[in-house]
Amino acid sequence: GESVGLHLPTLSVQEGDNSIINCAYSNSASDYFIWYKQESGKGPQFIIDIRSNMDKRQGQRVTVLLNKTVKHLSLQIAATQPGDSAVYFCAEGNQGGKLIFGQGTELSVKP
Amino acid sequence: GAVVSQHPSWVICKSGTSVKIECRSLDFQATTMFWYRQFPKQSLMLMATSNEGSKATYEQGVEKDKFLINHASLTLSTLTVTSAHPEDSSFYICSLYSSGRARLRDNEQFFGPGTRLTVL
């Protein structure tokens, strides 16, 4: 059966719409933050990163926003496509490379 | 980016047996590799940090005698789950870490494809 805490937050969007995935992090001293995409049965795939001294960074179809005041990170995906369907994780990191992963959000794109 | 492989991609074993998972860097010499465990519908949890030529550093709550890590070369790290039990069934993922290397972005990790362990 199902148990509390084993359900990932889900976000369902229509193909072509923009998606915004949010993440709250815990360590205000983290040096950098990374968004990963994980498809079922596969390892995480790097999407975009941002250093702690920045508040915005743009990539191809993706933008990451960092709000250090409230320890919040967001990933914006423009013109979401069915191939974007996956679980998205934020991770916070420090020198030495250790990453602490957030809970994850499952993105479902409806054609 | 770096290419990371894991072997096997999946394994089913009986309770009480030991299982070895290999993590190989195919085109990059990694001084540091990380091992993660991921239960269904959950996030990745760091188990240990594997440094080439030295003992691994384990996260709190991870039994070092149960999860043996060997990082014998710059291209290979192994995780052995000893006396596996059903609660050890999980998705095990390794990653390579780059620190200031020219070929990789600073602080970037490259993840392997994962190994699905099922203990009966």
Side-chain angles (χ1 to χ4, degrees):
Chain A
E2 297 176 343
S3 303
V4 173
L6 291 183
H7 290 281
L8 290 170
T10 57
L11 173 65
S12 184
V13 300
Q14 203 70 36
E15 181 179 1
D17 288 350
N18 296 333
S19 303
I20 299 177
I21 300 171
N22 298 301
C23 175
Y25 63 92
S26 56
N27 186 358
S28 57
S30 292
D31 290 330
Y32 58 95
F33 305 86
I34 307 177
W35 279 101
Y36 287 96
K37 172 186 180 182
Q38 186 181 29
E39 297 175 318
S40 181
K42 297 183 179 180
Q45 176 187 353
F46 174 92
I47 300 174
I48 191 169
D49 63 350
I50 187 169
R51 292 193 179 274
S52 60
N53 60 356
M54 302 170 66
D55 53 23
K56 181 179 180 179
R57 190 160 188 227
Q58 289 185 292
Q60 187 177 12
R61 277 204 309 121
V62 295
T63 301
V64 55
L65 298 178
L66 174 62
N67 185 331
K68 293 183 286 295
T69 303
V70 295
K71 293 193 284 188
H72 182 268
L73 195 67
S74 69
L75 176 69
Q76 301 177 3
I77 304 174
T80 314
Q81 303 166 1
D84 295 327
S85 294
V87 178
Y88 289 81
F89 292 98
C90 68
E92 50 185 308
N94 291 286
Q95 292 300 319
K98 285 178 63 172
L99 293 177
I100 298 174
F101 279 79
Q103 180 183 19
T105 297
E106 185 169 9
L107 176 65
S108 176
V109 182
K110 295 177 288 186
Chain B
V3 179
V4 184
S5 70
Q6 285 186 235
H7 177 80
S9 55
W10 60 271
V11 57
I12 301 173
C13 68
K14 293 183 179 179
S15 184
T17 60
S18 293
V19 175
K20 179 185 284 188
I21 301 170
E22 293 185 348
C23 176
R24 288 185 185 273
S25 168
L26 302 183
D27 60 351
F28 180 70
Q29 293 184 328
T31 55
T32 301
M33 291 185 179
F34 295 97
W35 284 96
Y36 296 84
R37 178 169 54 182
Q38 185 179 31
F39 293 108
K41 297 293 186 181
Q42 294 189 30
S43 188
L44 281 76
M45 295 295 293
L46 179 64
M47 299 176 66
T49 303
S50 170
N51 293 301
E52 187 265 340
S54 63
K55 290 184 178 180
T57 303
Y58 291 81
E59 295 300 303
Q60 191 173 12
V62 178
E63 300 175 58
K64 63 180 181 180
D65 294 330
K66 182 170 182 62
F67 298 99
L68 302 179
I69 291 173
N70 187 316
H71 193 160
S73 77
L74 292 173
T75 60
L76 174 64
S77 177
T78 61
L79 168 68
T80 301
V81 183
T82 62
S83 186
H85 291 285
E87 58 265 29
D88 298 322
S89 298
S90 190
F91 194 51
Y92 291 87
I93 309 170
C94 69
S95 72
L96 307 181
Y97 171 62
S98 158
S99 174
R101 298 267 179 160
R103 281 193 61 187
L104 298 178
R105 189 197 315 268
D106 280 355
N107 300 314
E108 186 170 10
Q109 288 191 30
F110 286 96
F111 287 83
T115 296
R116 173 76 58 194
L117 170 63
T118 302
V119 185
L120 303 177

